[in-house]
Amino acid sequence: MSERSIFREEGLQALIEALSRRGFRVIGPTIGDGAIIYDDVEALGDLPRGYTDEQEAGRYRLARRDDAALFGYAVGPQSWKRFLHQPLLRLWRAERKGQDVIVEAEPPATEKLAFLGVRACELHAIEIQDRVLIGGDYVDPHYESKREGAFIVAVNCGTAGGTCFCVSMNTGPRATRGFDLALTELTLEGGNGFLVEVGSPAGAELLAELPSRPASREEMDDGDAVVARTAASMGRAMPAEDIHALLMRNLDHERWDEVAQRCLSCANCTMVCPTCFCTSVEDHNDLSGAESSRTRRWDSCFTMDYSYIHGGSVRPGVASRYRQWMTHKLSTWFDQFGTSGCVGCGRCITWCPVGIDITEETRAISDSEKLLGAADGKS
Amino acid sequence: MSDAAFATLMHAQPMVPQVAHVRGRRKDTPDAWTLDLELANGARLIYAPGQFNMLTAFGVGEAAISVSGDPAGGPLIHTIRAVGPVSRALTALEPGDPIGVRGPFGVGWPMAQAEGKDVLLVAGGLGLAPLRPALYRLLGERARFGRVTLLFGARTPEDIVFRHEVESWRARFDIDVDVTVDHAASEWHGHVGVVTTLISRATFDPCNALAMICGPEVMMRFVAMALVEKGFGEDAIYLSMERNMKCAIGHCGHCQLGPTFICRDGPVFTYAQLKRFLAIKEL
Ligand SMILES: Cc1cc2nc3c(=O)[nH]c(=O)nc-3n(C[C@H](O)[C@H](O)[C@H](O)COP(=O)(O)OP(=O)(O)OC[C@H]3O[C@@H](n4cnc5c(N)ncnc54)[C@H](O)[C@@H]3O)c2cc1C
Ligand code: SF4
Ligand code: SF4
Ligand code: FES
């Protein structure tokens, strides 16, 4: 895709309108509850113009930028999974008629979704959830219908979040695949504009309708420079080694007990993580007992019930629950789905009330091995 | 509905139960019942020994329950111990009552690998239920297998499931059956002790044998270790695992043990696959 185009903010407004005209529900970044969240957007005015997010372990704060950028933040507490893999969903309803029961499956939603402002790490997260929910022997029809119709407008990151580490996970900050259109926000003469890259025939078709012009060599270089600057300013990194093997070697490591002293087992990290997919089901009954239904809701490996079997929880200790979460993300996910379960978005670090940092926990285990190795070397 | 139509429905809507009806109900032990089920329009569930279904008591919930019937034919049979809300509701169903069925799920017992080998079945308590389809297959195609042995341990004589059947197997010449109980009143004339104590009384060629074990996790570990000591290869020992299950299709995450999803990659695994993970506390 060496051909790229330029449009100005009017082009972005036209994009939102064109998507709406085609029947898409357009969802993008907007300010709500003191954070940048994903919600319906109708016009440029809904976007978080001039805002950024300051993030550190256990800390998130909105702040003003000294420019009028529309996408000058990293990622907020929500991810697109809340739209594709809904937090709460009815699976079926059943009606009892004498000795018979009529079960009615919940029809998959027909709503078409367009996502505006999807980050590179989030594209990878969607791809990972695809593998889990529609890539195996069994397909989740609800996820599938939303996913198949979705139109994705990616935005390359112009600012690294304080807790991001996508470079070390090979998932960003540039969107390389999985989008229909990808934008890079640029300062052009006379205002903001976007360098636009086409990622699919649907994207090309839509772009043709928008007021755009071919990008100059210089503008393309400017776009590349934005992403390079972001990559260079990333404050965190996952240790560069085979983490899959590292963690499998260290299932008995004392660090699990150490982190358990800090972890509150609150499940925040799993709720904000864009790849965490676990769910539980619950049955409901009306008072007469004639109608019942089953709902599915997000669940977390940090709860006691999660691993309950007759007699007690398999993982009663916080250490074992934290270990389950982290080894799944970074290690066993490879065995199960051929990819890491972490895309380096940093949400779990930011939204952990006590600031537990998955890169730091990994480094602690890695460093302890190096120390041991050094000691062995000396003796 | 044809057998294939049932399977197709299951695949299109894997989380939606199909309605079946209870046709028979028998009490097996003080807290376990066996149900005979009939699927809608006489469809038959095609399953392999060791596979399980998700059974729904409408309005209450769903539980993973192994098939305990004969894979060669007859009704769909499940044997259920009442331990909590869902299993209590399932075991309280009467003939004629509707029940929801999703399945069959998982990887079952290694029936093909067992051909030509001595086969040792070791069951603890209700663990005999998931092994019974394998036993039916072994006896139904008896000539394909070497010596067949069933070692069965129950808590007390009252906890012996399928008691009459166990006695009829014991009377046969083509299978060795040895039963033990943990505790017994004086009228019990059989063996008393844990099931591992039966292993040294059994006859098999450890170099050409295969073991299938089902029971509480600690029991399976001890049996596996004892068999390794007797010369069994770790990959000739199979166990059927239990974990919390909310989907049975690899989507809910609950059943994970290390890199495996018990529902998808199991419930039957070789001891070689799991040994390392079973040894780690609270994994
Ligand atoms: C592959 C597999 C095969 C099984 N086969 C049989 C069988 O043939 N007969 C039989 O009686 N039981 C079997 N079980 C166990 C059965 O699923 C549980 O006893 C049942 O789910 C308990 O639910 P409850 O609501 O009655 O009890 P509670 O103890 O109140 O359970 C609450 C919840 O915990 C979970 N849970 C509790 N115990 C277990 C358990 N042992 N295994 C998995 N999840 C559990 C369930 O999600 C349940 O909804 C099997 C389990 C698995 C995983
Ligand atoms: S584990 Fe943390 S950093 Fe990795 S994808 Fe999940 S929330 Fe983002
Ligand atoms: S790591 Fe942090 S966010 Fe996750 S459960 Fe523990 S305290 Fe909560
Ligand atoms: S039971 Fe849901 S993943 Fe195995």
Side-chain angles (χ1 to χ4, degrees):
Chain A
M1 290 285 163
S2 56
E3 286 301 302
R4 284 182 266 173
S5 311
I6 291 281
F7 60 52
R8 291 183 173 270
E9 286 189 358
E10 310 86 78
L12 187 61
Q13 176 66 39
L15 172 63
I16 296 171
E17 287 165 11
L19 286 167
S20 301
R21 265 200 313 280
R22 283 169 162 73
F24 285 98
R25 174 182 168 201
V26 184
I27 300 162
T30 187
I31 290 182
D33 298 331
I36 290 165
I37 59 169
Y38 297 145
D39 207 343
D40 294 271
V41 296
E42 282 162 18
L44 293 190
D46 294 327
L47 302 179
R49 183 189 292 281
Y51 275 95
T52 192
D53 45 10
E54 293 177 353
Q55 304 195 38
E56 253 318 310
R59 206 171 68 84
Y60 178 99
R61 198 170 71 88
L62 281 183
R64 299 298 309 209
R65 294 172 61 93
D66 52 16
D67 63 14
L70 292 170
F71 297 94
Y73 59 90
V75 290
Q78 298 178 341
S79 68
W80 307 99
K81 91 172 171 185
R82 68 183 302 102
F83 300 100
L84 296 171
H85 181 46
Q86 283 168 258
L88 178 64
L89 174 76
R90 183 168 58 212
L91 294 171
W92 50 262
R93 269 190 292 193
E95 201 183 330
R96 178 138 188 180
K97 293 204 165 118
Q99 290 293 73
D100 250 308
V101 171
I102 313 297
V103 180
E104 204 185 313
E106 184 75 8
T110 49
E111 175 182 65
K112 290 199 297 176
L113 301 170
F115 298 153
L116 173 61
V118 182
R119 302 302 190 180
C121 61
E122 299 183 306
L123 292 172
H124 282 269
I126 291 171
E127 200 174 281
I128 289 170
Q129 287 215 324
D130 287 352
R131 292 198 194 204
V132 178
L133 297 169
I134 55 178
D137 282 350
Y138 289 98
V139 166
D140 171 356
H142 302 280
Y143 182 91
E144 183 182 42
S145 73
K146 296 194 160 200
R147 178 69 178 101
E148 276 188 344
F151 188 95
I152 294 183
V153 183
V155 175
N156 288 318
C157 294
T159 310
T163 55
C164 296
F165 55 100
C166 63
V167 171
S168 61
M169 300 306 286
N170 237 330
T171 52
R174 175 195 281 285
T176 54
R177 57 170 196 258
F179 55 81
D180 295 293
L181 293 173
L183 316 180
T184 309
E185 195 165 20
L186 292 178
T187 313
L188 302 174
E189 222 157 280
N192 281 358
F194 296 90
L195 183 66
V196 189
E197 192 179 327
V198 170
S200 74
E205 191 247 338
L206 201 78
L207 180 63
E209 235 177 70
L210 309 176
S212 71
R213 60 165 172 82
S216 68
R217 179 74 257 164
E218 201 184 13
E219 286 164 334
M220 289 197 257
D221 290 345
D222 285 352
D224 293 342
V226 166
V227 185
R229 260 200 316 278
T230 305
S233 65
M234 199 144 297
R236 279 179 165 76
M238 190 56 87
E241 65 175 286
D242 181 354
I243 310 286
H244 176 198
L246 171 78
L247 296 185
M248 277 304 111
R249 281 198 301 273
N250 287 287
L251 291 171
D252 277 324
H253 201 279
E254 58 196 22
R255 184 75 182 187
W256 305 120
D257 293 318
E258 197 280 329
V259 68
Q261 302 294 312
R262 290 173 280 138
C263 175
L264 310 173
S265 199
C266 68
N268 268 13
C269 47
T270 52
M271 295 294 114
V272 296
C273 178
T275 69
C276 276
F277 58 82
C278 288
T279 51
S280 193
V281 289
E282 206 172 278
D283 283 32
H284 312 272
N285 218 350
D286 74 349
L287 283 177
S288 72
E291 277 183 43
S292 60
S293 65
R294 180 168 297 156
T295 50
R296 183 185 80 186
R297 65 169 74 237
W298 286 357
D299 198 3
S300 169
C301 54
F302 279 94
T303 69
M304 277 289 245
D305 276 354
Y306 182 86
S307 66
Y308 180 84
I309 56 174
H310 179 58
S313 173
V314 171
R315 303 186 195 99
V318 176
S320 58
R321 282 178 264 156
Y322 187 86
R323 176 180 64 192
Q324 169 59 27
W325 179 69
M326 190 169 129
T327 54
H328 187 214
K329 294 272 98 159
L330 298 175
S331 185
T332 52
W333 209 294
F334 281 101
D335 302 297
Q336 297 167 348
F337 302 108
T339 169
S340 173
C342 172
V343 298
C345 73
R347 286 180 176 90
C348 56
I349 306 173
T350 299
W351 296 95
C352 175
V354 294
I356 293 171
D357 178 343
I358 189 169
T359 65
E360 198 179 300
E361 295 311 312
T362 308
R363 188 162 297 107
I365 292 177
S366 166
D367 286 351
S368 75
E369 270 198 348
K370 284 182 194 130
L371 267 177
L372 269 178
D376 284 354
K378 266 183 238 150
S379 63
Chain B
M1 183 165 45
S2 73
D3 308 349
F6 184 88
T8 308
L9 269 176
M10 212 57 253
H11 237 86
Q13 288 285 357
M15 288 300 283
V16 180
Q18 300 300 314
V19 180
H21 285 91
V22 177
R23 294 298 176 221
R25 174 178 187 258
R26 292 176 293 285
K27 186 165 185 164
D28 280 296
T29 71
D31 59 359
W33 281 260
T34 291
L35 302 179
D36 300 338
L37 309 184
E38 186 187 5
L39 301 180
N41 306 317
R44 230 169 54 82
L45 190 85
I46 309 296
Y47 66 91
Q51 283 194 302
F52 66 96
N53 282 324
M54 296 297 280
L55 298 184
T56 291
F58 286 102
V60 184
E62 195 177 47
I65 306 289
S66 305
V67 185
S68 71
D70 188 347
L76 174 61
I77 302 180
H78 286 286
T79 303
I80 308 161
R81 189 151 77 100
V83 297
V86 177
S87 50
R88 264 201 295 276
L90 289 170
T91 52
L93 293 174
E94 299 279 357
D97 282 343
I99 182 173
V101 177
R102 298 195 292 123
F105 296 117
V107 179
W109 301 110
M111 301 314 298
Q113 291 92 314
E115 290 193 17
K117 300 206 168 95
D118 288 351
V119 185
L120 182 65
L121 308 181
V122 189
L126 209 68
L128 185 56
L131 277 171
R132 194 167 67 161
L135 197 54
Y136 285 137
R137 173 72 60 80
L138 292 169
L139 295 176
E141 301 176 8
R142 187 63 193 84
R144 292 175 186 267
F145 307 96
R147 222 183 158 97
V148 175
T149 308
L150 169 66
L151 307 181
F152 179 34
R155 254 179 325 147
T156 71
E158 289 70 48
D159 293 308
I160 296 176
V161 272
F162 316 136
R163 188 159 186 163
H164 296 296
E165 214 171 5
V166 171
E167 270 158 22
S168 74
W169 290 330
R170 213 214 282 260
R172 291 174 67 137
F173 296 108
D174 56 355
I175 171 171
D176 295 330
V177 177
D178 205 356
V179 180
T180 181
V181 297
D182 297 342
H183 316 281
S186 52
E187 61 270 31
W188 172 257
H189 299 296
H191 193 267
V192 177
V194 292
V195 73
T196 37
T197 57
L198 300 180
I199 293 172
S200 49
R201 315 192 330 171
T203 316
F204 48 79
D205 169 11
C207 301
N208 187 39
L210 188 147
M212 306 181 192
I213 315 172
C214 190
E217 199 166 312
V218 269
M219 165 260 174
M220 294 196 289
R221 273 186 71 200
F222 280 114
V223 170
M225 289 191 285
L227 291 177
V228 169
E229 221 158 89
K230 291 273 172 213
F232 263 81
E234 285 175 355
D235 52 4
I237 301 171
Y238 290 79
L239 352 147
S240 183
M241 295 297 297
E242 253 180 43
R243 280 294 181 275
N244 188 303
M245 289 191 181
K246 295 294 178 198
C247 75
I249 57 172
H251 288 183
C252 80
H254 286 253
C255 68
Q256 291 174 82
L257 170 61
T260 71
F261 285 104
I262 302 283
C263 71
R264 184 188 79 176
D265 310 322
V268 174
F269 294 90
T270 64
Y271 183 52
Q273 278 174 290
L274 294 189
K275 184 183 162 191
R276 152 129 214 266
F277 303 113
L278 291 177
I280 294 169
K281 213 171 137 241
E282 295 185 21
L283 191 67

